[in-house]
Amino acid sequence: MDIVVAGTGYVGLVTGACLAEVGHKVICVDVDEKKIGIMKKGISPIYEPGLSDLLEKNYANGNLDFTTDYEEAYRKADVVFIGVGTPERSDGSANLDYVFSVCGQIAKNITKDCLVVVKSTVPIGTNDRVEEFLRENVENNIQVEVASNPEFLAQGTAVKDTLYASRIVIGVESENAKNILMNIYKRFNQPIVVTNRRSAEMIKYASNDFLALKISFINEMANVCEIVGADIEDVAKGMSYDSRIGNKFLNAGIGYGGSCFPKDTKALHWLANDHGYEVKTIKATIEVNENQKYKLFRKAKEFFGSLKNKRVAILGLTFKPGTDDLREAPSIPNIRRMLDEGAKIIAYDPVGENNFKKIYPDEITYAESIEESIKDADMVFIFTEWEEVKNIDIDIFIKEMKTPIIFDGRNCFDLNDICEKSVYYYSIGRKTINNFIKKNLMKKNFFEGGN
Ligand code: UGA
């Protein structure tokens, strides 16, 4: 069976590599010649643990190939997986231009009956539209069917999430489509949920929006903890023993980012609104997240009055660890606000620097290490919980910084390790440690803006 995967982003490339890994013959199609060249060398164009190894191995053994020649690829295809992006439009709805552009190419080039599998996250009803479009546009009496097969991989663990998925969801309208996909996926040996296409599309949105809701909920609980003097980590731990609640996605912080939750919450909200229904829980999820994003910035403003001429160290730029992806990363708008205030930014991220330079080429300084970033800094902001950030010896802040004032948006440190240290440490939903301020309050007025 010839499988073609359209799109070599996170979803497309990981899907292609994992299908090849379990023994299928796969061709990944992309319009970008340079990218194809890189992948043929066994190098992943995206930072994703384990992916380069899969590309190298399966390109070498002939299971996986890459091409820009989509005409040739679709000509031979029995099954085409669509894994292209569905970015957010300015009104919050999903932009399906890439999906339909691929469909146009498929319709023009297929030469035999074909199953088109939509992996991209698409609004409910899109698979119906895709099938309609293909049937209107294919020639020569070729039979095309469409199936929905949403993706549940997370960035940073994408390969593992695919090879050992919690479930595979297949949305089909015929036995034939079901049999083809069951046949493809039986090698993964994972639970398979078979539904109709609309339910499969909805499972994807409901899953992502529920996880986003869980994060916004725990963030609001963290905010209440700060008010009432409780500790969100203890609260989350206490909740987690109830298996109905579970212990995942209860980490309070400065909100969710990435290419999925922000987009998928807005898209479902938009879609429901368009049908005259307001999903109040999703609306609240979005609002809470927007507010949470600037929590550290507001805290710093409260303390310093102004950030003008302050030297601000930033640890972590990406939206989460294990990826170089910056989409909807809280660091981006926060740094904008700091720069507008007149702060001097020295940022460090183990893998996100190159991408960040495309957004902020000159306005900020990039450090090669944590130590370089925090040296002589007036304050440090932690936006991403990279392992090397979590493993910092707290004394380094005291040794290197002008004033060891720490705003931690990812609760990287155990309060027991920090409570005796001479630092100011604000984290989310926990007690603020203010030993440094207490000690120095009388000596120096470091709260005033300017130098
Ligand atoms: C998310 C889902 O987890 C995947 O299941 C889904 O397939 C994917 O979207 C998608 O639709 O493609 P991803 O965006 O890669 O995956 O990252 P997550 O690990 O879910 O993290 C998203 C954001 O939530 C990050 O900014 C992270 O810091 C934040 N987060 C996560 C929290 O603030 N608290 C938590 O407890 C967990």
Side-chain angles (χ1 to χ4, degrees), residues 10-11 48 121 150-157 161 167 204 207-208 211-212 214-216 218-219 247-264 289 318-321 323 327-330 383-385 409-410:
Y10 282 97
V11 173
E48 193 58 51
T121 302
E151 183 50 63
F152 300 102
L153 62 83
Q155 286 174 229
T157 50
D161 292 347
R167 78 294 205 191
K204 174 66 190 181
S207 300
N208 270 8
L211 292 171
K214 210 172 170 189
I215 296 169
S216 279
I218 205 69
N219 283 336
N247 62 4
K248 306 259 164 58
F249 274 65
L250 288 177
N251 296 320
I254 41 161
Y256 57 77
S259 62
C260 307
F261 292 167
K263 165 176 82 74
D264 295 346
N289 198 59
T318 56
F319 82 95
K320 69 171 192 179
T323 177
R327 283 175 284 179
E328 300 282 337
F383 286 136
T384 320
E385 67 278 33
R410 298 294 179 189

Side-chain angles (χ1 to χ4, degrees), residues 292-325:
Q292 196 72 7
K293 218 189 279 182
Y294 299 106
K295 198 136 199 237
L296 298 186
F297 178 77
R298 284 194 300 270
K299 222 39 197 185
K301 284 274 289 173
E302 250 173 50
F303 274 92
F304 284 92
S306 161
L307 302 192
K308 190 160 193 290
N309 288 332
K310 296 285 180 206
R311 200 175 158 91
V312 179
I314 307 284
L315 300 183
L317 297 167
T318 56
F319 82 95
K320 69 171 192 179
T323 177
D324 62 355
D325 199 324

Side-chain angles (χ1 to χ4, degrees), residues 362-388:
D362 317 305
E363 284 171 289
I364 72 175
T365 306
Y366 294 91
E368 294 286 303
S369 66
I370 292 173
E371 285 79 1
E372 190 188 327
S373 163
I374 63 175
K375 187 144 195 63
D376 299 326
D378 292 290
M379 70 198 89
V380 58
F381 285 78
I382 299 174
F383 286 136
T384 320
E385 67 278 33
W386 286 102
E387 275 307 307
E388 61 178 294

